[in-house]
Amino acid sequence: MKRITLLGVVLAVLVATAGVAAATPGDHAGESNGDSATQQGPPSELPGPVPDFVSDIHDSVTEFMDGMMDGALGPAVSEHAGQPAHAGN
């Protein structure tokens, strides 16, 4: 009985200390990323706009999900992406 009680106390202390250690990050957290770890907010340089066919693909997926598209989604996406549709779709 004492062995089980002792094991329970040791386990409780281990869980409590592991929780505290996980909740408090060290002084060197994120240093591997260089200076970017200290910056906050969105990056200053955003990517350019996507080509028009990407918007067309998104529209096709939305139509398919809304049930407004007859047939399979694959050929429509392939058509917008400029790739030949597979016969199996």
Side-chain angles (χ1 to χ4, degrees), residues 14-60:
L14 179 64
V15 168
T17 56
V20 170
T24 56
D27 292 336
H28 304 289
E31 248 184 37
S32 63
N33 293 338
D35 293 337
S36 65
T38 59
Q39 295 177 354
Q40 294 181 357
S44 59
E45 296 180 21
L46 296 175
V50 298
D52 290 335
F53 76 90
V54 175
S55 297
D56 295 338
I57 291 173
H58 282 232
D59 291 340
S60 294

Side-chain angles (χ1 to χ4, degrees), residues 7 23 25 50 73:
L7 182 61
V50 298
L73 178 63

